[in-house]
Amino acid sequence: MTHELKTGGDRGYLRIATEEAFATQEQFDAIMRLVKEGRADKGTMSLWGFYGTSASERTTFIRERLLDLGELRIQAMDDAGIDKAVLALTSPGTQSLFDPEEARRIARSSNDQLKAACERYPNRFHGMIAVAPIDPEWSAEELKRGKEELGFHGVQINSHTHGHYLDEEQFDPILRACADLDLPLYIHPQGPPDGMIGTMVEAGLDGAVFGFGVETSFHGLRMMTSGVFDRYPNLQMMLGHGCEAIPYWIYRHNYMHQAGVRSKRYERLKPLQHDLFHYLRNNVLATNSGMAFAPAIKLMIEVMGEDRVMYAMDYPYEYLPDEVRWLDDMDIPAEQKKKFFQTNAERWFKL
Ligand code: 1DF
Ligand code: MN
């Protein structure tokens, strides 16, 4: 142990964790009903079949911690030196549900419960809005309520909705609302859709270990290559887990994307106003959730710029106070470290 972890800024910065999860009992029950009936998609069957029923130490801890928006969570934050958490309804949110009415009800109720928790701990908790992408028009209205009435700071969408992606036309009301309301759009992973999951479950690689990242970087790239950010130049998309590896890949993504566009290889790929580096540096924000790994963080800062990379813990799926110590000890300039832990989150979430 290199140093004690304290809240309050004893190292010259506050620590703001930006991808922290909670569940509501109704959400949990609705997903588990689909899982028990065998009606959920394969990714949800695998993920919630495990987290919802396993008696392991890990899953027991996570189930208890997801449902708590009170003292347990505050104690965990205190113990790890986390000053503030930006909270969102855990993956898959409402997106595995098939009934739009149920999805709307659960999203709305989750927003109300999160608002109450933020009022109980105004200096510790901030909220991201939950929506029901199966109903984009309703979701756009809920974004307005979430920002204007509940005072929330962004929206978390758990990647695909039954295999559909936010760059598709039917989701335009959601993108427009984010742009109009100046709400960052956090695209968080869930299990890959049935059309993508292939043999990942048999391989034990569908979840956070790999499948999450592949599917979510696919989503992020769809957004970057389809002209979304030409339509909405001020829209900010957030990606966790080391920006889902896009900064590492971006040179090749960009080169091959341009080669494909030039040679008119795909009907869908039209010339864009900018190259992919431009969108990465103007429309994408990243967190290091689940990647307490200095080489990945330094790469993000180098490629995206020091103003676009933020800290996240990913509690309760990742809760290792030692990771905070490693990141405190990262060999980057002090001003960059303060941006990473504190001021970038304040700026982009408007805290
Ligand atoms: C896991 C990881 C599950 C993350 C999550 O939601 C989640 C996991 C169900 O470890 O299985 O949000 N995560 O963001 O890394
Ligand atoms: Mn997460």
Side-chain angles (χ1 to χ4, degrees), residues 76-96:
M77 289 167 65
D78 287 346
D79 292 346
I82 303 300
D83 294 276
K84 297 166 196 274
V86 182
L87 298 162
L89 185 65
T90 198
S91 181
T94 64
Q95 290 164 250
S96 294

Side-chain angles (χ1 to χ4, degrees), residues 78-335:
D78 287 346
D79 292 346
I82 303 300
D83 294 276
K84 297 166 196 274
V86 182
L87 298 162
L89 185 65
T90 198
S91 181
T94 64
Q95 290 164 250
S96 294
L97 308 179
F98 296 100
D99 175 3
E101 164 54 31
E102 182 177 50
R104 290 189 294 259
R105 182 164 41 76
I106 288 172
R108 187 180 173 95
S109 152
S110 141
N111 290 331
D112 292 337
Q113 291 176 55
L114 180 55
K115 169 68 175 167
C118 292
E119 281 177 348
R120 285 196 298 277
Y121 301 100
N123 299 319
R124 307 303 296 277
F125 292 169
H126 298 288
M128 275 197 272
I129 305 163
V131 292
I134 198 168
D135 185 342
E137 293 286 352
W138 180 85
S139 295
E141 285 300 309
E142 188 66 1
L143 289 175
K144 194 166 157 57
R145 184 179 84 98
K147 166 129 187 185
E148 292 175 358
E149 291 175 36
L150 307 180
F152 287 165
H153 302 271
V155 51
Q156 176 168 305
I157 296 196
N158 299 287
S159 201
H160 72 92
T161 302
H162 300 303
H164 290 279
Y165 289 85
L166 290 170
D167 56 287
E168 294 174 35
E169 203 178 326
Q170 76 251 31
F171 297 116
D172 189 62
I174 295 179
L175 302 187
R176 189 171 340 112
C178 288
D180 288 351
L181 295 163
D182 204 8
L183 280 169
L185 167 61
Y186 203 125
I187 302 187
H188 182 283
Q190 66 151 311
D194 287 353
M196 180 191 274
I197 202 163
T199 55
M200 284 187 201
V201 178
E202 291 138 72
L205 293 173
D206 56 299
V209 57
F210 177 73
F212 276 22
V214 172
E215 197 273 338
T216 310
S217 72
F218 175 61
H219 200 159
L221 280 172
R222 289 184 61 123
M223 300 284 281
M224 290 166 69
T225 54
S226 61
V228 163
F229 300 112
D230 291 341
R231 267 159 48 218
Y232 299 110
N234 297 321
L235 180 62
Q236 298 295 328
M237 170 175 77
M238 295 179 169
L239 296 172
H241 315 100
C243 207
E244 308 297 358
I246 291 175
Y248 183 87
W249 276 87
I250 186 68
Y251 181 89
R252 185 166 171 79
H253 290 323
N254 184 58
Y255 183 89
M256 289 301 173
H257 172 255
Q258 292 189 341
V261 170
R262 265 199 312 277
S263 43
K264 303 193 168 56
R265 177 169 174 179
Y266 299 102
E267 172 69 23
R268 175 185 160 90
L269 291 187
K270 301 285 192 299
L272 300 177
Q273 287 177 18
H274 304 282
D275 69 7
L276 300 188
F277 281 95
H278 174 96
Y279 302 114
L280 188 62
R281 290 169 178 158
N282 290 275
N283 300 97
V284 184
L285 298 161
T287 80
N288 79 304
S289 53
M291 286 278 270
F293 187 47
I297 295 167
K298 288 196 261 187
L299 177 77
M300 287 194 283
I301 290 175
E302 183 172 351
V303 174
M304 304 177 70
E306 64 182 31
D307 294 331
R308 308 192 78 83
V309 182
M310 299 177 283
Y311 170 69
M313 172 173 271
D314 211 1
Y315 177 89
Y317 297 101
E318 190 118 355
Y319 183 60
L320 200 60
D322 262 340
E323 291 183 346
V324 179
R325 294 190 180 91
W326 304 336
L327 300 181
D328 280 340
D329 290 340
M330 246 188 323
D331 60 332
I332 60 174
E335 320 80 73

